[in-house]
């Protein structure tokens, strides 16, 4: 397999990526199999909307599966499924996975799904989820995976936006303490949605049988009669998938990923950032419903010819507190990628790391952590325990691969606790002050990226270019706004300190406080409300709700608070993890009526921030102080 030769270290490669993006990315593109090789890298003709490899044609599924079979890797393991919650383990060679995918592509095509049609996938961490994603890619259908921890309304919103021809789902997901029936959630979502797919293909699981209705088809039966379908080349700029992510409002944004730029960038990142090579075993302990799952459970390891581990269950806690180490040892994992919260959970249960001694994790070369800020304490604990580099990397659903990382495969950099290290090729990362000028080293500002973004990043928001421009490109001319705040030090290391908008990260899951506020505000007894993300020792952040009730109610406020917690769980899903709502007399505001969420968050986190000069009535915040400071 061709991988473009690495001639230089990081500094030269990075410089070249900004000064000569054509040369840099056309070289990187040589690692991908094209049916028509691109002659150009960047198409800026519709700036600020950019396209990569405009004249290239390829098939992502071919690159992920068939090319490895053709190259003699057919008997190598492509995917290992390890599911302690069902007590099952299975594995697929590249040949087996290709055959499954080709057959499921036949199911989709037989049901009338054509190139460009959307397919919503609502599945837990089972191999069929990966099969369904790659089957879409096989003939240019566009998948949109919805995370299983979301409730019916969130699924309905995504169905109405993506307008899928078909939905692929499973009868249930399995959480350590309970079976979660997915099919009733899907049925409820379709009752709420305006758009109706023609069919639903349901993977029945033994733990819970789904009731089938007229448009539902059974996965196994459909597969039994399907004809395998080959790979259909598409334009590099055609969409591969839509992945919805939380923004500042309740309406999620459909991040659109292309085929060509995505394949090139992910291929580059796995070797150069994650130092993982063909034949090695990569384990991203995340979920296919999140971007980490898309990029580093499914696409990057398979595009590279690695073995990927698909793990169903929590990698910590029940049923096996030492599961992380057991999986690494059993499958000879060379790189583990998870969120800091998972390591904090391990540390909480096994502070001295004694469970590690039962397993030989000698295969592990790196632990990569992303999804939320890596706090120095967790970093030091994991480094001391594992004796391998613990590598932070910062990115987001929109970018699909690291913006700032330590390029372990290209040129490892000295690690600095609290920093994900340096910008990756093509990302011209700037720290901007309030006026839009570059902030000096050491000064905090908004983290922005000068346009264009590199290949693999979002093309736009699904069917809404105007929203893409408004949400990401308008705050600072010529820049993409990441939504994070941070700074650079004198060595160019970037420190990402947290979101400057209403997005919060709960156990590595990205959630919108705005969406939770919408649910609270819809309660008939609520006059106004706010949701703020406060620091939590395990999950990084957790949401807290504060509500002011309508005057003259004759109800116990505690009952209303309980209803509000249940409403968020029912409407957004258990993953929202809103466990506490306080009824208060008033919310602090500016004189122009804006709720001072950040001030409340700072007080709840124990920071002694000065009250803003624009505050309307300081007595309101003083009255709230004891509530906010109360331990969770
Ligand atoms: N389907 C249904 N429900 C789900 C779900 C899914 N796919 N994923 C989570 N939930 C539910 C959980 O069961 C839990 O429900 P509960 O309130 O009834 O207990 C709730 O959503 C909150 O889940 P979570 O935030 O994951 O908390 P947790 O206490 O169950 O687990 C961790 C905490 C740290 C162990 C867990 O989040 C974890 O392992 N994270 C690893 C990293 C990761 O996945 N990162 C994502 C991006 S890299
Ligand atoms: P998501 O889109 O779910 O991947 O979430 C992206 C957001 O998570 C980023 O904008 C950051 O706020 C946060 N994030 C992800 N990785 C890191 C990291 N390594 N350090 C700090 N914050 C991070």
């Amino acid at each position: 397999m061709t991988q473009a030769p690495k001639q230089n270290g990081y500094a030269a490669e990075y410089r070249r990526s900004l000064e000569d993006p054509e040369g840099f990315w056309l070289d990187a593109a040589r690692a991908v199999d094209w049916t028509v090789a691109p002659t150009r890298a960047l198409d800026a003709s519709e700036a600020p909307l950019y396209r990569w490899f405009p004249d290239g044609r390829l098939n992502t599924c071919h690159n992920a599966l068939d090319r490895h079979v053709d190259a003699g890797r057919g008997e190598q393991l492509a995917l290992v499924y390890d599911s302690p919650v069902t007590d099952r383990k299975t594995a697929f060679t590249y040949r087996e996975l290709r055959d499954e995918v080709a057959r499921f592509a036949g199911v989709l095509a037989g049901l009338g799904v054509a190139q460009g049609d959307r397919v919503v996938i609502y599945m837990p961490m089972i191999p069929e989820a990966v099969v369904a994603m790659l089957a879409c890619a096989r003939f240019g259908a566009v998948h949109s995976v919805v995370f299983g921890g979301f409730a019916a309304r969130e699924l309905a919103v995504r169905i109405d936006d993506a307008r899928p021809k078909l939905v692929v789902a499973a009868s249930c997901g399995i959480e350590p303490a309970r079976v979660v029936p997915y099919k009733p959630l899907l049925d409820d979502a379709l009752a709420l949605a305006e758009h109706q797919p023609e069919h639903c293909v349901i993977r029945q699981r033994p733990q819970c049988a789904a009731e089938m209705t007229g448009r539902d088809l059974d996965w196994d039966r459909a597969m039994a009669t399907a004809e395998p379908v080959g790979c259909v080349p598409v334009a590099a700029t055609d969409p591969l998938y839509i992945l919805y992510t939380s923004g500042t409002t309740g309406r999620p944004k459909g991040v659109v990923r292309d085929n060509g730029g995505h394949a090139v960038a992910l291929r580059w990142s796995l070797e150069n950032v994650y130092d993982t090579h063909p034949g090695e075993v990569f384990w991203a302990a995340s979920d296919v419903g999140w971007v980490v799952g898309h990029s580093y459970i499914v696409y990057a390891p398979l595009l590279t010819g690695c073995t990927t581990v698909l793990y169903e269950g929590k990698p910590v806690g029940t049923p096996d507190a030492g599961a992380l180490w057991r999986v690494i040892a059993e499958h000879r994992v060379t790189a583990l990628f998870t969120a800091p919260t998972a390591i904090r959970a391990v540390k909480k249960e096994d502070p001295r790391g004694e469970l590690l001694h039962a397993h030989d994790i000698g295969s592990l070369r790196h632990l990569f952590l992303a999804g939320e800020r890596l706090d120095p304490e967790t970093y030091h604990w994991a480094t001391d325990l594992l004796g391998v580099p613990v590598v932070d990397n910062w990115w987001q659903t929109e970018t699909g691969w690291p913006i700032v990382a330590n390029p372990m495969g290209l040129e490892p950099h000295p690690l600095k606790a609290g920093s994900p290290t340096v910008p990756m090729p093509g990302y011209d990362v700037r720290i901007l002050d309030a006026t839009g000028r570059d902030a000096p080293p050491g000064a905090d500002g908004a983290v922005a990226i000068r346009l264009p973004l590199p290949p693999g990043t979002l093309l736009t928001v699904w069917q809404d270019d105007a929203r893409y421009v408004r949400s990401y490109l308008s705050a600072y001319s010529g820049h993409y706004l990441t939504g994070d705040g941070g700074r650079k030090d004198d060595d160019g290391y970037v420190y990402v300190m947290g979101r400057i908008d209403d997005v919060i990260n709960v156990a590595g899951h990205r959630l919108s406080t705005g969406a939770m506020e919408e649910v609270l505000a819809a309660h008939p007894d609520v006059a106004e409300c706010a949701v703020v993300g406060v620091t939590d020792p395990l999950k990084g952040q957790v949401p807290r709700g504060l509500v002011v009730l309508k005057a003259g109610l004759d109800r116990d406020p505690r009952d209303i608070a309980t209803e509000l917690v249940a409403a968020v769980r029912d409407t957004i899903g258990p993953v929202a993890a809103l466990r506490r709502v306080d009824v208060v007399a008033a919310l602090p505001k500016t004189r122009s009526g804006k709720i001072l969420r950040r001030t409340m968050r700072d007080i709840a986190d124990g920071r002694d921030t000065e009250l803003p000069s624009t505050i309307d009535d300081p007595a309101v915040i003083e009255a709230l102080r004891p509530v906010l400071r109360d331990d969770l």
Side-chain angles (χ1 to χ4, degrees):
M1 179 176 313
T2 353
Q3 169 71 3
K6 285 174 216 153
Q7 288 154 357
N8 303 303
Y10 162 79
E13 290 287 300
Y14 179 65
R15 202 176 322 111
R16 181 171 176 232
S17 76
L18 298 187
E19 289 171 1
D20 174 24
E22 287 293 306
F24 183 91
W25 291 114
L26 284 173
D27 270 357
R30 285 161 47 203
V32 167
D33 241 12
W34 301 84
T35 47
V36 178
T39 62
R40 291 166 55 208
L42 180 64
D43 173 5
S45 60
E46 289 179 39
L49 303 179
Y50 296 91
R51 300 280 183 273
W52 287 94
F53 310 112
D55 58 354
R57 291 186 75 79
L58 78 166
N59 182 277
T60 296
C61 183
H62 166 82
N63 274 281
L65 299 175
D66 302 55
R67 78 175 289 194
H68 304 306
V69 179
D70 299 347
R73 285 186 181 275
E75 305 320 312
Q76 182 199 306
L77 291 185
L79 185 145
V80 171
Y81 168 58
D82 188 312
S83 170
V85 287
T86 59
D87 207 14
R88 273 195 68 210
K89 284 177 204 162
T90 46
F92 296 76
T93 63
Y94 268 97
R95 187 185 309 284
E96 287 165 344
L97 191 58
R98 181 204 56 187
D99 292 349
E100 284 288 296
V101 168
R103 197 170 282 281
F104 194 65
V107 171
L108 297 178
L111 292 170
V113 179
Q115 186 176 341
D117 284 342
R118 275 79 56 213
V119 174
V120 161
I121 300 172
Y122 185 57
M123 294 183 116
M125 287 285 286
I126 55 177
E128 288 80 359
V130 179
V131 169
M133 291 166 77
L134 292 167
C136 291
R138 202 163 178 84
F139 62 98
V142 180
H143 62 70
S144 186
V145 182
V146 179
F147 177 62
F150 283 127
R153 195 196 69 157
E154 291 290 318
L155 178 58
V157 168
R158 287 157 176 78
I159 288 173
D160 274 340
D161 196 73
R163 306 184 74 76
K165 183 101 173 211
L166 190 126
V167 176
V168 186
S171 58
C172 62
I174 296 151
E175 287 296 290
R178 65 187 192 283
V179 170
V180 184
Y182 277 27
K183 182 60 175 21
L185 289 169
L186 172 61
D187 290 341
D188 288 352
L190 291 176
L192 289 169
E194 179 217 313
H195 174 82
Q196 296 297 310
E198 287 171 19
H199 297 285
C200 300
V201 178
I202 309 294
R203 172 71 178 149
Q204 292 281 16
R205 305 189 76 190
Q207 294 76 12
C208 159
E211 251 181 59
M212 306 291 264
T213 61
R215 67 176 147 200
D216 300 334
L217 291 127
D218 178 85
W219 174 290
D220 285 337
R221 261 190 244 153
M223 284 287 264
T225 52
E227 286 298 321
V229 159
C231 293
V232 178
V234 299
T237 53
D238 280 344
L240 170 69
Y241 71 74
I242 307 166
L243 180 58
Y244 287 88
T245 191
S246 302
T248 49
T249 69
R251 198 158 70 91
K253 289 182 279 211
V255 164
V256 180
R257 195 88 62 216
D258 64 4
N259 277 273
H262 175 251
V264 171
L266 289 193
R267 187 77 181 77
W268 189 92
S269 73
L270 203 73
E271 299 213 46
N272 290 284
V273 178
Y274 299 102
D275 193 24
T276 299
H277 309 278
E280 295 186 326
V281 183
F282 195 83
W283 179 24
S286 176
D287 189 290
V288 286
W290 304 111
V291 72
V292 173
H294 279 61
S295 293
Y296 295 104
I297 295 175
V298 183
Y299 286 109
L302 297 179
L303 288 166
T304 309
C306 298
T307 302
T308 186
V309 178
L310 184 78
Y311 179 85
E312 186 182 23
K314 305 273 171 210
V316 284
T318 337
D320 175 9
L324 270 185
W325 320 134
R326 195 266 302 160
V327 172
I328 294 170
E330 201 168 315
H331 305 301
R332 311 300 302 152
V333 170
T334 49
L336 168 64
F337 183 168
T338 188
T341 189
I343 302 301
R344 287 195 297 269
V346 172
K347 180 172 161 236
K348 191 171 161 218
E349 291 201 18
D350 180 24
R352 289 208 296 260
E354 282 158 357
L355 294 166
L356 183 65
H357 305 314
H359 306 281
D360 171 8
I361 64 156
S363 60
L364 189 74
R365 291 203 307 267
H366 299 102
L367 168 63
F368 294 98
L369 296 173
E372 54 173 324
R373 185 165 184 273
L374 172 56
D375 55 288
E377 198 185 321
T378 304
Y379 163 76
H380 288 301
W381 186 82
T383 306
D384 293 346
L385 180 71
L386 298 175
V388 299
V390 174
V391 187
D392 189 4
N393 50 120
W394 168 66
W395 48 293
Q396 45 188 205
T397 306
E398 289 84 347
T399 66
W401 64 287
I403 307 168
V404 172
N406 195 326
M408 297 309 287
L410 177 62
E411 184 188 346
H413 281 47
L415 294 159
K416 293 193 194 182
S419 170
T421 314
V422 287
M424 290 298 94
Y427 289 108
D428 187 355
V429 175
R430 304 295 178 100
I431 309 295
L432 302 180
D433 67 17
T435 65
R437 290 203 195 90
D438 286 313
D444 285 332
V447 190
I449 305 165
R450 264 196 81 76
L451 295 174
L453 298 176
T457 54
L458 81 170
L459 295 189
T460 184
V461 170
W462 176 247
Q463 302 227 304
D464 202 344
D465 292 344
R467 190 171 179 212
Y468 170 54
V469 172
R470 202 170 57 242
S471 311
Y472 296 104
L473 309 183
S474 304
Y476 300 103
S477 165
H479 292 80
Y480 165 88
L481 189 70
T482 65
D484 282 296
R487 60 175 178 268
K488 278 189 195 174
D489 71 8
D490 289 329
D491 299 326
Y493 277 54
V494 178
Y495 291 74
V496 179
M497 306 313 293
R499 299 287 301 198
I500 48 178
D501 57 14
D502 295 334
V503 168
I504 57 172
N505 267 67
V506 181
H509 306 140
R510 176 164 158 184
L511 297 160
S512 157
T513 54
M516 293 183 222
E517 288 181 1
E518 275 180 22
V519 178
L520 301 187
H523 190 286
D525 297 341
V526 169
E528 57 181 355
C529 64
V531 173
V532 290
V534 303
T535 302
D536 178 78
L538 176 64
K539 296 192 177 192
Q541 277 186 305
V542 289
R544 274 188 68 178
L546 295 139
V547 295
V548 178
L549 299 181
K550 287 180 181 159
L553 287 175
D554 187 19
R555 293 194 61 197
D556 186 336
R558 282 170 304 187
D559 292 342
I560 300 173
T562 307
E563 285 167 19
L564 291 168
V565 168
V568 169
R569 191 180 172 93
D570 290 348
T571 316
I572 296 176
V575 70
L578 179 79
R579 299 244 158 78
R580 176 166 172 180
V581 173
D582 287 296
V583 174
V584 297
L587 292 172
K589 292 187 187 154
T590 61
R591 283 187 287 277
S592 59
K594 212 169 166 313
I595 295 176
L596 290 165
R597 292 180 178 79
R598 188 168 309 170
T599 308
M600 287 192 278
R601 188 186 70 193
D602 287 348
I603 292 172
D605 282 352
R607 278 190 292 274
D608 277 322
T609 36
E610 253 182 56
L611 296 184
S613 58
T614 53
I615 193 164
D616 180 37
D617 181 0
V620 171
I621 196 90
E622 293 313 325
L624 265 186
R625 241 177 235 281
V627 178
L628 292 168
R629 283 277 167 94
D630 194 10
D631 278 343
L632 282 172

